[in-house]
């Protein structure tokens, strides 16, 4: 009330030159309500109703209380004087027959969660009516009442009897199978007495596992002696409250206002301060210094929520809008002054002369947006058009208290959408908190099945919902996201020219291809020299051309797999390498036969010649061609997609079709290489100043080593790394042949030409 009046008076456009005042009166119910209401029509400090004397504040409207009994008692007097009362009350008892909005909200909540066995705890004289009305409505929706108990206020004078009554109620509701309890207690003070009985030692069990539904717009309050009482027993309680919003500047106002600036006129501050902070104000008439003196500098924001809520609560927001409604009605009188004057009388109406009864006309028709942007309007019955927020009470061990909005009841929404709830934020009656998406439940040992631990999903699985019993794999073309609660599409990938590994292999391929071309050019240029002639020129050229094709065939592994590419990859690789290795075998056999033919009377001279070498190359290659033909005609390679090697990628690759045929191709190539290595190894000690068998031995040693290590490496890798291993093996084995066989010859041709003569080639080394 202080905040909103101050805010309106500082607004230069809403009511210029008009100052609103306010007067707050305490009421104790019953006949005292009538006394407090009559005092509103009297001068300050003098009870002379309806008589102007002294300083009389002009009463224009009254903001009612949260207590419906008090508001209706006030209405008896206010209606006589035609003073409008803007009620901010909870009418759950008096308007159930009119389908009260609070009651409808609770009913929707019970139906939504299928809570059909509920208990009720009520406080006040309305218990019988409440029972009668609530039973009739609940039975229509299949909801049964397990128990209905009446709470009593515990007074110091009859505390023993009151506690005995509470113990009986406690045993009745704690032994009930109803886990949902509806409580109608204005400030849940008596409920806190009931729940504190275990701490006092009157009962042995604690009221756990109960879902508290607060039946109306109620608050959480505490007496000073309840400061240390645990409020976590109310954790997760649900209540409906008129829609509210946070008003900018309200908390700052509470923190910075000097609350004792009007003391002692503000008679409430002293009592509130002493109860909230557990201190006392010294009595000037008594010459004593009591312990725990209030300084007045205590901070409201240091109080736990059970004593004082700093935020704009639903009742506070209702008061805020009620005062603004009166201010806007007065403003409407100012704006519509001339037309209003014509309707009432010929005398010009001044705002200062407006009578309370004249405000009714504008209050019923007022509609405005408050400074938060919420629309405030009244229906034909003069009732505020608003919805209800479903709030979840969140408590903490330090007595902190917070309300979390988890749903709403909107009267203007179409049928079926009037009640909405965010179930993921609501408390549930479970042994373990809910497992969020991305996790799965695992039962705890030696505990009931509803008790479980939450574990993150395995790396390649996900769970998109709460409390999943297991995690699931994404479709093959998708993978789990970082939180493992949804699936993302995989990227398409293959070993290509654009990525670093592909670029490195391309550079190596081009380098060795150029080296082979340079060697071939050197041999062609010096074809007439003895060292070139002595090495069977035809085999030399066949081998060099085969090596050129070997380097080039590795490029087919670095393009996107397709039908043609997959057919040519392994087939061309197998045939070209077979030609190369067959050429090496032919050269090795030719060298051996050439040395054997130099012996007197040797019959090996008949075998030495171009025909033998050509036959070896052709026959060795044709056998590989036959194997590849069988492969193509039975289980040819085809394009495939690897969905398992990389979690975030779909790897395009060539499926070999038949792994047996693939290893047959490699096996035959290995047979040729082993034969070449064996012949070259046994002929390495042949007498000659330049023995080519040594070069052939080293070349085949490297070749065999590469392809022997290729098999385990190829089988232990996945995805595009398998392709990279094969390409590297092709380059390494081809480079080994090129370097070991031809670089020594190129060295002699270019750097040591004096050794490139017939005498040096046939000169025997010294033994």
């Amino acid at each position: 009330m202080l905040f909103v009046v101050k805010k309106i008076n500082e607004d230069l456009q809403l009511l210029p030159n008009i100052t609103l005042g306010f007067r707050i009166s305490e009421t104790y119910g019953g006949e005292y309500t009538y006394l407090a209401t009559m005092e509103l029509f009297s001068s300050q400090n003098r009870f002379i109703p309806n008589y102007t004397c002294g300083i009389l504040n002009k009463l224009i409207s009254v903001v009612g209380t949260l207590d419906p009994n008090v508001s209706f008692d006030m209405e008896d007097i206010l209606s006589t004087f035609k003073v409008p009362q803007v009620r901010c009350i909870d009418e759950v008892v008096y308007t159930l027959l009119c389908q009260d909005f609070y009651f409808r909200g609770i009913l929707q909540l019970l139906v939504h969660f299928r809570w059909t066995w509920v208990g009720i705890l009520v406080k006040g004289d309305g218990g019988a009516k409440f029972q009668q009305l609530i039973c009739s409505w609940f039975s229509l929706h299949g909801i049964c009442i397990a128990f209905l108990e009446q709470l009593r206020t515990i007074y110091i004078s009859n505390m023993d009897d009151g506690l005995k009554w509470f113990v009986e109620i406690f045993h009745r509701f704690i032994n009930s199978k109803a886990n949902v309890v509806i409580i109608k207690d204005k400030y849940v003070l008596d409920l806190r007495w009931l729940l504190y009985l275990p701490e006092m030692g009157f009962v042995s069990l604690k009221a756990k596992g109960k879902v508290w539904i607060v039946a109306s717009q109620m608050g959480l309050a505490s007496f000073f002696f309840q400061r240390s009482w645990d409020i976590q027993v109310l954790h997760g309680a649900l209540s409906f409250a008129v829609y509210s919003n946070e008003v900018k500047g309200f908390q700052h106002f509470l923190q910075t206002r000097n609350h004792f600036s009007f003391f002692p006129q503000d008679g409430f501050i002293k009592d509130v301060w002493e109860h909230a902070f557990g201190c006392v104000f010294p009595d000037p008439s008594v010459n004593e210094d009591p312990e725990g003196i209030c300084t007045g500098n205590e901070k409201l924001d240091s109080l736990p929520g059970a004593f004082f809520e700093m935020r704009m609560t639903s009742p506070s927001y209702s008061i805020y809008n009620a005062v603004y409604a009166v201010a806007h009605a007065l403003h409407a009188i100012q704006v519509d002054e001339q037309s209003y004057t014509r309707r009432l009388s010929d005398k010009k109406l001044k705002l200062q002369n407006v009578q309370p009864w004249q405000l009714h006309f504008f209050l019923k028709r007022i509609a405005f947006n408050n400074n938060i942007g919420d629309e405030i309007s009244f229906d034909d019955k003069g009732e505020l058009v608003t919805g209800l927020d479903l709030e979840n009470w969140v408590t903490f061990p330090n007595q902190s208290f917070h309300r979390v909005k988890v749903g709403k009841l909107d009267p203007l929404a179409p049928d079926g959408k009037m009640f909405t709830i965010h179930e993921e934020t609501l408390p549930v009656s479970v042994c373990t908190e809910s497992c969020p998406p991305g996790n799965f439940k695992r039962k705890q040992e030696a505990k009931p099945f509803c008790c479980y631990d939450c574990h993150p999903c395995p790396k390649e699985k996900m769970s998109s919902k709460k409390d999943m019993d297991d995690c699931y794999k994404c479709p093959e073309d998708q993978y789990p996201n970082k939180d493992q609660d949804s699936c993302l599409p995989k990227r398409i990938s293959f070993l290509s020219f654009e990525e670093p590994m592909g670029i490195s292999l391309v550079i190596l391929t081009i380098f060795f291809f150029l080296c082979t071309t340079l060697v071939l050019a050197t041999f062609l240029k010096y074809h007439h020299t003895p060292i070139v002639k002595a090495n069977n020129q035809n085999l030399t050229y066949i081998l060099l051309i085969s090596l050129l094709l070997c380097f080039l065939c590795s490029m087919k592994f670095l393009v996107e797999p397709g039908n043609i590419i997959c057919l040519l990859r392994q087939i061309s690789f197998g045939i070209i390498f077979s030609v190369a290795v067959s050429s090496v075998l032919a050269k090795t056999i030719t060298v051996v036969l050439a040395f054997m033919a130099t012996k007197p009377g040797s019959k090996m001279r008949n075998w030495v010649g171009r025909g033998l070498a050509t036959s070896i190359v052709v026959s060795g290659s044709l056998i590989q061609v036959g194997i590849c033909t069988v492969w193509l005609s039975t289980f040819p390679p085809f394009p495939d997609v690897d969905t398992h090697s990389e979690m975030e990628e779909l790897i395009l690759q060539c499926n070999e079709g038949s792994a047996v045929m693939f290893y047959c191709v490699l096996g035959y190539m290995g047979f040729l290489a082993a034969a070449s290595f064996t012949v070259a190894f046994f002929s390495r000690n042949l007498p000659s100043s330049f023995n080519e068998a040594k070069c052939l031995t080293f070349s085949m040693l490297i070749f065999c080593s590469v392809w022997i290590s290729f098999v385990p490496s190829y089988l232990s890798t996945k995805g595009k790394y398998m392709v990279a291993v094969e390409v590297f093996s092709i380059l390494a084995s081809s480079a080994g042949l090129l370097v070991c066989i031809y670089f020594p010859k190129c060295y002699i041709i270019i750097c040591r030409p004096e050794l490139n003569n017939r005498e040096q080639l046939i000169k025997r080394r010294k033994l």
Side-chain angles (χ1 to χ4, degrees), residues 206-426:
K206 289 187 177 182
K208 292 184 178 180
K210 302 295 183 182
V211 178
W212 302 101
I213 299 179
V214 183
S216 53
Q217 184 168 306
M218 299 179 186
L220 177 62
S222 299
F223 290 118
F224 69 94
F225 56 80
Q226 294 176 316
R227 174 180 293 273
S228 61
W229 291 15
D230 184 17
I231 64 172
Q232 289 194 283
V233 290
L234 297 173
H235 181 76
L238 300 172
S239 65
F240 282 95
V242 172
Y243 170 78
S244 63
N245 209 335
E246 194 65 35
V247 178
K248 183 178 181 181
F250 181 62
Q251 292 191 14
H252 179 73
F253 171 79
L254 291 176
Q255 293 168 346
T256 58
R257 178 181 182 268
N258 182 2
H259 298 283
F260 292 91
S261 58
F262 296 98
F263 186 78
Q265 289 86 350
D266 190 346
F268 301 110
I269 285 295
K270 179 177 178 294
D271 291 339
V272 169
W273 218 261
E274 289 181 342
H275 281 81
F277 292 102
C279 58
V280 294
F281 286 97
D283 188 352
S285 62
V286 180
N287 295 326
E288 293 182 2
D289 293 331
E291 297 181 359
I293 296 178
C294 296
T295 64
N297 296 322
E298 292 84 1
K299 300 296 183 182
L300 288 175
D301 53 3
S302 66
L303 293 174
F307 286 87
F308 191 84
E309 296 185 57
M310 292 290 291
R311 62 180 290 270
M312 181 71 77
T313 61
S314 177
S316 300
Y317 190 65
S318 299
I319 295 173
Y320 178 86
N321 288 325
V323 178
Y324 255 107
V326 175
H328 276 275
L330 292 173
H331 178 73
I333 292 177
Q334 279 186 320
V335 173
D336 200 36
E337 185 178 20
Q338 293 181 353
S339 61
Y340 184 72
T341 301
R342 288 194 297 269
R343 283 196 298 268
L344 294 177
S345 65
D346 296 330
K347 184 179 178 181
K348 188 173 182 180
L349 179 66
K350 296 293 185 181
L351 188 59
Q352 290 83 350
N353 299 325
V354 172
Q355 298 301 317
W357 62 269
Q358 295 171 324
L359 198 64
H360 284 282
F361 177 84
F362 289 92
L363 276 175
K364 290 182 179 180
R365 291 161 179 79
I366 198 67
F368 63 94
N369 289 338
N370 61 16
N371 54 0
I372 309 174
D374 293 336
E375 182 179 353
I376 307 300
S377 62
F378 301 90
D379 59 16
D380 297 337
K381 299 178 182 179
E383 296 179 359
L384 178 66
V385 179
T386 185
L388 296 181
D389 287 327
L390 176 61
E391 297 179 337
N392 178 23
W393 293 13
V394 180
T395 62
F396 302 94
N398 63 352
Q399 296 284 56
S400 299
F401 171 67
H402 186 59
R403 302 172 189 263
V404 180
K405 295 180 181 180
V406 295
K408 63 180 180 180
L409 191 64
D410 186 0
L412 302 179
D415 293 339
K417 297 184 179 179
M418 184 178 297
F419 178 73
T420 58
I421 190 169
H422 313 304
E423 294 185 37
E424 65 275 8
T425 60
L426 285 176

Side-chain angles (χ1 to χ4, degrees), residues 586-598 604 608 679-680 682-684 686 693:
K587 288 176 70 68
T588 307
I589 293 176
T590 301
V591 169
V592 174
L593 293 178
F595 276 97
M596 294 178 64
T598 57
M604 291 298 174
V608 178
V679 175
F682 286 112
S683 61
R684 69 188 187 284
L686 292 175

Side-chain angles (χ1 to χ4, degrees), residues 125-157:
D125 297 332
K129 292 183 179 179
F130 189 80
Q131 179 182 8
Q132 179 183 357
L133 295 173
I134 210 169
C135 289
S136 61
W137 277 88
F138 278 12
S139 60
L140 294 177
H141 294 82
I143 301 172
C144 301
I145 297 178
F147 60 85
L148 191 149
E149 300 292 346
Q150 181 83 24
L151 298 177
R152 298 179 181 179
T153 300
I154 298 180
Y155 297 102
I156 300 297
S157 58

